[in-house]
Amino acid sequence: MRSLLPLVVLPLLALAAPPTSPTITRLVFSGSGCPNDSGSVKSDTATIGDSAGVSFTQLKGDTTDNCAVHIQSAGASEGWQVAVRQVDYVGDVNLKGNSGLDTYTQVFWSENAGNTVNSHHIKAEWRNADDIQGVLTGGLACAGPEIKDYITVRSSTADLKWSKCTGADGNPGILNVNFRPVVQGDFGTYDFKHAAWKLEWRRC
């Protein structure tokens, strides 16, 4: 029953998407799991509303990769902020023996596309002091003999990192999401197909 408590409290703290959600105007990506010239990441949604997401075609491996996605948008109702509360990654995972899959998602908002720095290291530094950052972690453990399934790895946070307040242009800033899966232990592979982000809005 404790897990139901946040569902009761959260609506009092945040609102649904504004009357007009921002339309995605540009999506840029890079990393070992989604090279920027590969065309391997596509947006699943045309807007950033209560949720948003992307599809992958090359985010697969047996050790670790990263995929950094940068989404620009405009046209939202004026006077709103948005934050990422939850991320779900869906795909094929195979773990054998004593092994595990850890996931790390670094989320931040930036003002200038030139300030979005991609890295192959989860402990990357983004050098713009104005960036608002947060890290969500999740994972899956195998105690043996094997996990082989199409699964969802979910992580969430109560420490919301809010975008800037939308102005007349309805631009909340650039949403930057850097995802890294990491295989630990005896044996593991992953092939992630989709990412879904649960978003929350508030008046500002």
Side-chain angles (χ1 to χ4, degrees):
M1 293 298 294
R2 289 197 314 246
S3 62
L4 298 178
L5 180 59
L7 300 179
V8 176
V9 176
L10 290 178
L12 303 176
L13 304 177
L15 301 173
T20 302
S21 298
T23 299
I24 296 172
T25 58
R26 189 177 184 217
L27 183 149
V28 179
F29 55 88
S30 64
S32 59
C34 59
N36 59 13
D37 59 351
S38 64
S40 63
V41 179
K42 304 292 184 184
S43 177
D44 291 340
T45 54
T47 62
I48 299 177
D50 291 325
S51 62
V54 295
S55 297
F56 308 105
T57 59
Q58 294 186 19
L59 187 53
K60 60 184 74 175
D62 57 9
T63 53
T64 186
D65 286 291
N66 87 302
C67 181
V69 178
H70 314 285
I71 297 177
Q72 294 177 255
S73 61
S77 302
E78 188 173 357
W80 291 77
Q81 289 176 292
V82 60
V84 176
R85 173 172 290 281
Q86 178 178 294
V87 293
D88 289 355
Y89 293 98
V90 182
D92 294 305
V93 174
N94 185 197
L95 299 172
K96 295 181 182 180
N98 291 313
S99 59
L101 176 72
D102 295 328
T103 62
Y104 303 90
T105 305
Q106 189 165 31
V107 178
F108 71 99
W109 296 89
S110 61
E111 299 285 335
N112 187 324
N115 290 329
T116 56
V117 179
N118 305 319
S119 174
H120 296 287
H121 304 281
I122 189 60
K123 293 183 179 179
E125 289 186 9
W126 281 272
R127 300 184 183 279
N128 181 359
D130 294 329
D131 292 339
I132 304 171
Q133 303 180 39
V135 177
L136 293 82
T137 60
L140 178 67
C142 176
E146 184 178 24
I147 295 174
K148 188 175 184 180
D149 208 347
Y150 191 70
I151 58 93
T152 297
V153 179
R154 173 172 294 170
S155 55
S156 60
T157 181
D159 183 20
L160 299 183
K161 306 300 182 183
W162 296 97
S163 72
K164 70 175 183 178
C165 192
T166 55
D169 62 356
N171 172 20
I174 302 170
L175 172 59
N176 305 277
V177 182
N178 188 0
F179 172 56
R180 173 179 286 278
V182 180
V183 172
Q184 310 280 6
D186 295 343
F187 173 87
T189 63
Y190 54 84
D191 183 359
F192 284 102
K193 308 293 189 181
H194 300 282
W197 310 318
K198 180 181 177 183
L199 306 174
E200 292 199 7
W201 291 83
R202 69 180 182 186
R203 287 282 193 179
C204 51

